[in-house]
CSV table of all heavy atoms in Angstrom, one decimal:
chain,number,residue,atom,x,y,z
W,1528,SER,N,18.9,-21.8,0.1
W,1528,SER,CA,19.3,-23.0,0.9
W,1528,SER,C,20.8,-23.1,1.0
W,1528,SER,O,21.3,-23.4,2.1
W,1528,SER,CB,18.8,-24.2,0.1
W,1528,SER,OG,19.3,-25.4,0.6
W,1529,ALA,N,21.5,-22.7,0.0
W,1529,ALA,CA,23.0,-22.7,0.1
W,1529,ALA,C,23.5,-21.7,1.1
W,1529,ALA,O,24.4,-22.0,1.9
W,1529,ALA,CB,23.6,-22.5,-1.3
W,1530,ALA,N,22.9,-20.6,1.2
W,1530,ALA,CA,23.3,-19.6,2.1
W,1530,ALA,C,23.1,-20.1,3.6
W,1530,ALA,O,23.9,-19.8,4.5
W,1530,ALA,CB,22.5,-18.3,1.9
W,1531,VAL,N,22.0,-20.8,3.8
W,1531,VAL,CA,21.7,-21.3,5.1
W,1531,VAL,C,22.6,-22.4,5.5
W,1531,VAL,O,23.0,-22.6,6.6
W,1531,VAL,CB,20.2,-21.8,5.2
W,1531,VAL,CG1,19.9,-22.5,6.4
W,1531,VAL,CG2,19.2,-20.6,5.0
W,1532,GLN,N,23.0,-23.2,4.5
W,1532,GLN,CA,24.0,-24.3,4.7
W,1532,GLN,C,25.3,-23.7,5.1
W,1532,GLN,O,26.0,-24.2,6.0
W,1532,GLN,CB,24.2,-25.1,3.5
W,1532,GLN,CG,23.1,-26.2,3.3
W,1532,GLN,CD,23.4,-27.1,2.1
W,1532,GLN,OE1,23.3,-26.8,1.0
W,1532,GLN,NE2,23.7,-28.4,2.5
W,1533,ASP,N,25.7,-22.6,4.5
W,1533,ASP,CA,27.0,-21.9,4.8
W,1533,ASP,C,26.9,-21.3,6.2
W,1533,ASP,O,27.9,-21.2,6.9
W,1533,ASP,CB,27.3,-20.9,3.7
W,1533,ASP,CG,27.7,-21.5,2.4
W,1533,ASP,OD1,28.0,-22.7,2.4
W,1533,ASP,OD2,27.6,-20.8,1.4
W,1534,ASP,N,25.8,-20.7,6.5
W,1534,ASP,CA,25.6,-20.0,7.8
W,1534,ASP,C,24.3,-20.4,8.4
W,1534,ASP,O,23.2,-19.8,8.2
W,1534,ASP,CB,25.6,-18.5,7.6
W,1534,ASP,CG,25.5,-17.7,8.9
W,1534,ASP,OD1,25.3,-18.4,10.0
W,1534,ASP,OD2,25.6,-16.5,8.9
W,1535,PRO,N,24.3,-21.5,9.2
W,1535,PRO,CA,23.0,-22.0,9.7
W,1535,PRO,C,22.2,-21.0,10.5
W,1535,PRO,O,21.0,-21.1,10.6
W,1535,PRO,CB,23.5,-23.2,10.7
W,1535,PRO,CG,24.8,-23.6,10.1
W,1535,PRO,CD,25.4,-22.4,9.6
W,1536,GLY,N,22.8,-20.0,11.1
W,1536,GLY,CA,22.1,-19.0,11.8
W,1536,GLY,C,21.1,-18.2,10.9
W,1536,GLY,O,20.1,-17.8,11.4
W,1537,LEU,N,21.4,-18.2,9.6
W,1537,LEU,CA,20.5,-17.5,8.6
W,1537,LEU,C,19.2,-18.4,8.5
W,1537,LEU,O,18.2,-17.8,8.0
W,1537,LEU,CB,21.1,-17.3,7.3
W,1537,LEU,CG,22.3,-16.3,7.2
W,1537,LEU,CD1,22.9,-16.3,5.8
W,1537,LEU,CD2,21.8,-14.9,7.6
W,1538,GLY,N,19.2,-19.6,8.8
W,1538,GLY,CA,18.0,-20.5,8.7
W,1538,GLY,C,17.1,-20.3,9.8
W,1538,GLY,O,16.0,-20.9,9.8
W,1539,GLU,N,17.4,-19.5,10.8
W,1539,GLU,CA,16.5,-19.3,12.0
W,1539,GLU,C,15.5,-18.3,11.6
W,1539,GLU,O,15.8,-17.3,10.9
W,1539,GLU,CB,17.3,-18.8,13.2
W,1539,GLU,CG,18.3,-19.8,13.7
W,1539,GLU,CD,17.6,-21.1,14.2
W,1539,GLU,OE1,16.5,-20.9,14.9
W,1539,GLU,OE2,18.1,-22.2,14.0
W,1540,PRO,N,14.2,-18.5,12.1
W,1540,PRO,CA,13.2,-17.4,11.8
W,1540,PRO,C,13.5,-16.2,12.7
W,1540,PRO,O,14.2,-16.3,13.7
W,1540,PRO,CB,11.9,-18.1,12.3
W,1540,PRO,CG,12.2,-19.5,12.4
W,1540,PRO,CD,13.7,-19.7,12.7
W,1541,LEU,N,13.0,-15.0,12.2
W,1541,LEU,CA,13.1,-13.8,13.1
W,1541,LEU,C,12.3,-14.1,14.3
W,1541,LEU,O,11.2,-14.5,14.3
W,1541,LEU,CB,12.6,-12.6,12.3
W,1541,LEU,CG,13.4,-12.1,11.1
W,1541,LEU,CD1,12.6,-11.0,10.4
W,1541,LEU,CD2,14.7,-11.7,11.5
W,1542,ALA,N,12.9,-13.7,15.5
W,1542,ALA,CA,12.2,-14.0,16.7
W,1542,ALA,C,10.9,-13.4,16.9
W,1542,ALA,O,9.9,-14.0,17.4
W,1542,ALA,CB,13.1,-13.6,17.9
W,1543,ALA,N,10.7,-12.1,16.4
W,1543,ALA,CA,9.5,-11.4,16.5
W,1543,ALA,C,8.6,-11.5,15.3
W,1543,ALA,O,7.5,-10.9,15.3
W,1543,ALA,CB,9.8,-9.9,16.9
W,1544,ALA,N,9.1,-12.1,14.2
W,1544,ALA,CA,8.4,-12.2,13.0
W,1544,ALA,C,8.7,-13.6,12.3
W,1544,ALA,O,9.4,-13.6,11.3
W,1544,ALA,CB,8.7,-11.1,12.0
W,1545,PRO,N,8.3,-14.7,12.9
W,1545,PRO,CA,8.8,-16.0,12.5
W,1545,PRO,C,8.4,-16.4,11.1
W,1545,PRO,O,8.9,-17.5,10.6
W,1545,PRO,CB,8.2,-16.9,13.6
W,1545,PRO,CG,7.1,-16.2,14.2
W,1545,PRO,CD,7.4,-14.7,14.1
W,1546,ALA,N,7.5,-15.7,10.5
W,1546,ALA,CA,7.1,-16.0,9.1
W,1546,ALA,C,8.3,-15.8,8.2
W,1546,ALA,O,8.4,-16.4,7.1
W,1546,ALA,CB,6.0,-15.2,8.6
Side-chain angles (χ1 to χ4, degrees):
S1528 172
V1531 171
Q1532 280 188 288
D1533 291 341
D1534 182 355
L1537 292 177
E1539 295 298 319
L1541 293 174

